[in-house]
Amino acid sequence: MTGLPGPADMSHAMLIALLMHHGGSMGLPAAAFETDALGDGHGTHHAVQLAPLDDGTVRLSVVTRPPSDNAEIEVRDL
């Protein structure tokens, strides 16, 4: 993965990448935006993990947010 956006733009970039990969739109149940699904109504209890896979794809996963208020991108080896 090269040319990743900064932390402030990462959520937007991931949303656009996901939508474009699925033809530009996806149907979601309205419950996907409820507090129980997002953590606090804004998703602040969740972080996103991008993991490069051996086949050239990237796995996008929701994970527990680290105990920090700082926006950052952390690269980890799997």
Side-chain angles (χ1 to χ4, degrees), residues 16-69:
I16 297 303
L18 184 63
L19 288 172
M20 293 307 294
H21 181 72
H22 287 278
S25 65
M26 292 179 67
L28 294 173
F33 292 95
E34 291 180 0
T35 300
D36 287 346
L38 295 176
D40 70 348
H42 294 77
T44 59
H45 295 301
H46 299 97
V48 177
Q49 176 178 308
L50 288 172
L53 303 177
D54 291 337
D55 64 0
T57 62
V58 177
R59 175 175 289 132
L60 177 63
S61 304
V62 175
V63 297
T64 303
R65 183 181 175 133
S68 169
D69 289 332

Side-chain angles (χ1 to χ4, degrees), residues 3-4 7-8 10-11 13 28 38 46 58 63 70-71 76 78:
L4 290 176
M10 182 57 92
S11 291
L28 294 173
L38 295 176
H46 299 97
V58 177
V63 297
N70 298 327
R76 300 180 183 178
L78 292 179

